[in-house]
């Protein structure tokens, strides 16, 4: 892999001659050989990542395309073992496993590197919080952290995720962990305790969240 030039090259170990296998990638980062073909991980700096098959005649076939950046994120290496792909992700500190046709993505190993754990009292872990608001009925505290919104029940100290994912992105009209934000810096709540309003800074938006359905919508 010639990462800087986004090409796959072949080097003859005897003569030292170099020939080009394929080009036109985004930012190549890892390669492996399996069953007569090459497989590469490629991406464009945090917006989308690919796992591609590269035949030795230069033909490219996308096996996995991950626009969500949840299963592949700044992927740096790939290997094949036991009829599965294993992709190493720098961005999410994880290894994800795929079938050879790209289906059945599974978190093989790794843990949320942002330090978020649900729980009660000291059993919960809150990572890099930015802002909080108390519901008008005084039953709940809502706080923002690592592109997520967490809910704290005052009577028990129970902390749970309301919406969002540690990996930032912009997806409108989604629910729970499929909802995506990018650096929530401020939060407030409606007088009827039914809607949260958040500043989604890096996406340059103000968004509303229906607390009951855990669904977001665009305000501005």
């Amino acid at each position: 892999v010639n990462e800087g030039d986004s090409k796959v090259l072949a080097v003859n170990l005897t003569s030292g001659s170099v020939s080009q296998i394929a080009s036109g990638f985004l930012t190549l980062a890892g390669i492996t050989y399996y069953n007569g073909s090459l497989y590469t991980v490629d991406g464009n700096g945090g917006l989308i990542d690919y796992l591609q098959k590269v035949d030795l005649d230069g033909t490219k076939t996308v096996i996995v395309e991950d626009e969500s950046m949840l299963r592949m994120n700044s992927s740096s290496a790939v290997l094949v073992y036991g009829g599965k792909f294993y992709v190493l992700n720098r961005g999410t500190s994880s290894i994800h496993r795929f079938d050879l046709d790209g289906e059945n993505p599974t978190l093989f190993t790794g843990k949320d590197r942002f330090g978020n754990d649900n729980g009660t009292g000291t059993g919960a872990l809150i990572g890099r919080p930015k802002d909080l608001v108390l519901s008008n009925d005084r039953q709940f505290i809502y706080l923002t952290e690592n592109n997520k919104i967490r809910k704290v029940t005052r009577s028990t100290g129970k902390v749970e995720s309301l919406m969002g994912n540690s990996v930032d992105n912009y997806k409108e009209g989604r629910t729970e962990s499929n909802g995506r934000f990018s650096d929530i810096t401020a939060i407030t709540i409606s007088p009827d305790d039914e809607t949260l309003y958040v500043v989604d800074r890096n996406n340059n938006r103000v968004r509303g969240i229906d607390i009951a359905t855990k669904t977001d919508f665009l305000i501005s």
Side-chain angles (χ1 to χ4, degrees):
V1 173
N2 189 347
E3 181 178 349
D5 206 16
S6 294
K7 295 177 181 178
V8 174
L9 305 176
V11 180
N12 187 298
L13 296 180
T14 302
S15 67
S17 62
V18 178
S19 59
Q20 179 175 295
I21 300 294
S23 62
F25 298 92
L26 297 172
T27 304
L28 283 169
I31 191 169
T32 193
Y33 178 89
Y34 172 73
N35 199 26
S37 297
L38 302 169
Y39 293 87
T40 66
V41 286
D42 184 26
N44 66 349
L47 297 177
I48 193 166
D49 272 85
Y50 298 96
L51 169 61
Q52 295 190 80
K53 176 183 178 183
V54 181
D55 293 326
L56 298 184
D57 65 1
T59 302
K60 296 185 292 184
T61 305
V62 174
I63 305 297
V64 177
E65 178 179 339
D66 187 16
E67 187 178 353
S68 72
M69 305 301 291
L70 295 176
R71 298 173 295 277
M72 296 183 62
N73 190 311
S74 298
S75 305
S76 57
V78 57
L79 60 82
V80 182
Y81 179 76
K84 304 282 186 181
F85 288 113
Y86 293 82
V87 177
L88 180 65
N89 297 301
R90 290 176 297 179
T92 52
S93 301
S94 67
I95 297 174
H96 269 73
R97 182 176 64 197
F98 302 85
D99 291 346
L100 292 182
D101 60 1
E103 297 297 321
N104 297 318
T106 303
L107 176 61
F108 177 69
T109 188
K111 184 173 173 61
D112 191 337
R113 67 185 174 90
F114 293 94
N116 303 315
D117 281 323
N118 293 327
T120 300
T122 57
L125 181 61
I126 297 172
R128 299 195 308 184
K130 292 286 183 70
D131 195 15
L132 56 77
V133 65
L134 177 66
S135 63
N136 296 288
D137 62 12
R138 304 299 189 261
Q139 292 188 47
F140 305 106
I141 296 171
Y142 297 93
L143 61 91
T144 70
E145 55 153 28
N146 293 328
N147 310 311
K148 287 183 178 180
I149 296 171
R150 310 283 290 284
K151 175 183 175 181
V152 183
T153 302
R154 287 190 59 247
S155 61
T156 62
K158 180 181 179 181
V159 180
E160 55 191 308
S161 295
L162 180 75
M163 190 171 183
N165 193 288
S166 294
V167 180
D168 65 341
N169 205 324
Y170 178 66
K171 298 287 183 182
E172 184 182 324
R174 302 298 181 93
T175 60
E176 300 188 46
S177 62
N178 290 320
R180 305 292 288 277
F181 306 93
S182 184
D183 195 11
I184 309 170
T185 56
I187 185 172
T188 191
I189 195 167
S190 62
D192 59 10
D193 284 337
E194 293 182 358
T195 306
L196 292 170
Y197 300 97
V198 301
V199 174
D200 190 7
R201 186 178 72 169
N202 292 343
N203 284 319
N204 301 308
R205 289 169 167 86
V206 175
R207 296 163 74 178
I209 298 165
D210 184 303
I211 295 173
T213 63
K214 303 179 182 179
T215 303
D216 80 304
F217 54 92
L218 182 65
I219 298 295
S220 175

